[in-house]
Amino acid sequence: MRLLLVEDDPMIGAGVQRGLKQEGHTVDWVRDGAAAELAIADGVYELILLDLGLPRKSGLELLAGLRRKGVATPVLVITARDSVADRVKGLDAGADDYLVKPFDLDELSARIRALTRRQGGRASPVIEVGPLALDPAKHVVTLGGSPVALSKREFTLLHALMKQPGMPLSRAQIEESLYGWDEEIESNAVEVYIHSLRRKLGADRIRNVRGVGYMVPSES
Ligand code: CA
């Protein structure tokens, strides 16, 4: 999943970015509120991790502005301020969840999964489409109950497709979910990953929608 991390503390920012990348997420990192606003305008993020004490524009101000504009992307506030008043202000401004520093990366990951699950309208952590099942927490994919070994990027790509079965994703949307700013997109990479997924899962599990992109059929 592609996340935006808004954090001005270099140590915390680097640690969170590294940890979430290891989990297979694509993480872009900005260090102030104004840069965050520009990045969010691109609309490619599934979740925003937002520090409140930021230079150029405070996290609260940024968050309130986003919600006023109707940007519904889930926001997880991460902050050192642990007073009840600050927490309430953050939630009132439109935050979906709250984590007080210092926090454990495992807890952050679990909350990210919970938030994006809710966003997708699912209560169960495992996504199932026909005989295919994907568990975002355990990073496990099974086909008819048997585990299938996937690379990190194959997993991320399949996850993006399975979140919206029957709805195709364009090549550009897939690239956006797979790569951050600092990563070079290899040419034909999407085709290579699709080819590899089809080889592992069966060709009919991922359909090519001519002129549109790729999808996991809703009843495969
Ligand atoms: Ca800060």
Side-chain angles (χ1 to χ4, degrees), residues 154-202:
E154 287 165 3
F155 184 91
T156 305
L157 170 47
L158 184 64
H159 190 190
L161 292 170
M162 283 180 72
K163 273 191 283 190
Q164 43 176 67
M167 278 170 59
L169 283 179
S170 71
R171 184 186 155 143
Q173 285 172 316
I174 292 172
E175 284 176 347
E176 275 171 357
S177 73
L178 290 180
Y179 298 95
W181 295 330
D182 51 345
E183 294 165 298
E184 195 155 329
I185 302 176
E186 310 123 60
S187 63
N188 292 328
V190 170
E191 286 79 1
V192 170
Y193 294 130
I194 293 279
H195 177 80
S196 168
L197 281 172
R198 280 184 170 147
R199 194 168 45 78
K200 293 177 179 180
L201 304 172

Side-chain angles (χ1 to χ4, degrees), residues 67-83:
R67 295 308 189 224
R68 264 199 309 275
K69 278 185 267 176
V71 176
T73 311
V75 172
L76 173 59
V77 162
I78 45 173
T79 183
R81 303 179 198 180
D82 58 355
S83 81

